[in-house]
Amino acid sequence: MIELDVQLASTGKAPAAAELQRWCELALRQRSGDSELTIRLVDEEEGRELNRTWRHKDYPTNVLSFPADVPDEFLDIPLLGDLVICVPVVEREAAEQGKPLAAHWAHLVIHGCLHLLGYDHIEDAEAEEMEALERQLLAELGHPDPYADLSPETGTDKDS
């Protein structure tokens, strides 16, 4: 079971909690046992501040992942971590990239959850593995390949 805490700190239109839950469950189904995570939906000001504080980049990014750093034996339920998703950035990227908004949301939630599981895209081989899994999971939802026809300038933030 996945216990999801959704924090809405944005004036933008966000997906329903049930949709966020469904995308998290899909991304985390390889994890055995219970998990708890938080998704905080923010506006650009908070997104920029968090990105500046934690990544030293002075702009709001689409998704930030903060894996929990607490040993499981200290918790009643395994705390996976937190995702922070900047609602206006998601909306803008979907429009700029000509993607359905729901598909982009699903991609970023799945992308963030995979980071919480330890996947990364710093090295090319890791990126290929992570992107292949994202493609597979999104296809199961009926969404197109999120990386198709994207130039490096318009793709998702490779640092998220």
Side-chain angles (χ1 to χ4, degrees):
M1 181 186 96
I2 294 173
E3 186 174 322
L4 178 62
D5 176 29
V6 178
Q7 300 176 354
L8 184 58
S10 173
T11 57
K13 184 164 174 32
E19 282 295 288
L20 296 169
Q21 177 86 25
R22 183 168 73 113
W23 299 329
C24 289
E25 287 174 355
L26 181 64
L28 300 173
R29 71 180 177 201
Q30 64 181 291
R31 182 179 164 93
S32 61
D34 295 340
S35 297
E36 181 178 331
L37 71 137
T38 297
I39 296 179
R40 183 168 175 82
L41 304 170
V42 301
D43 283 330
E44 288 184 284
E45 183 178 339
E46 185 174 346
R48 168 176 263 144
E49 180 60 32
L50 289 168
N51 203 26
R52 182 179 28 227
T53 299
W54 295 101
R55 297 177 56 229
H56 310 291
K57 297 183 183 219
D58 192 22
Y59 58 87
T61 190
N62 48 28
V63 60
L64 293 167
S65 303
F66 297 96
D69 192 19
V70 179
D72 286 347
E73 61 265 18
F74 293 113
L75 302 169
D76 292 334
I77 186 170
L79 183 61
L80 199 52
D82 302 327
L83 300 179
V84 176
I85 302 176
C86 188
V87 175
V89 171
V90 175
E91 292 171 344
R92 185 172 52 250
E93 286 178 347
E96 289 172 356
Q97 297 171 18
K99 294 179 177 178
L101 186 56
H104 197 47
W105 268 105
H107 178 215
L108 294 176
V109 170
I110 288 169
H111 183 89
C113 285
L114 292 178
H115 275 307
L116 295 179
L117 291 176
Y119 286 88
D120 213 335
H121 44 72
I122 295 170
E123 302 293 327
D124 287 344
E126 292 175 335
E128 288 175 21
E129 178 184 6
M130 185 174 182
E131 290 173 9
L133 185 52
E134 290 171 335
R135 287 181 179 100
Q136 173 195 331
L137 296 173
L138 288 162
E140 289 180 36
L141 293 170
H143 296 309
D145 179 349
Y147 297 105
D149 301 320
L150 290 183
S151 67
E153 296 83 38
T154 61
T156 57
D157 184 352
K158 286 293 188 183
D159 296 325
S160 61

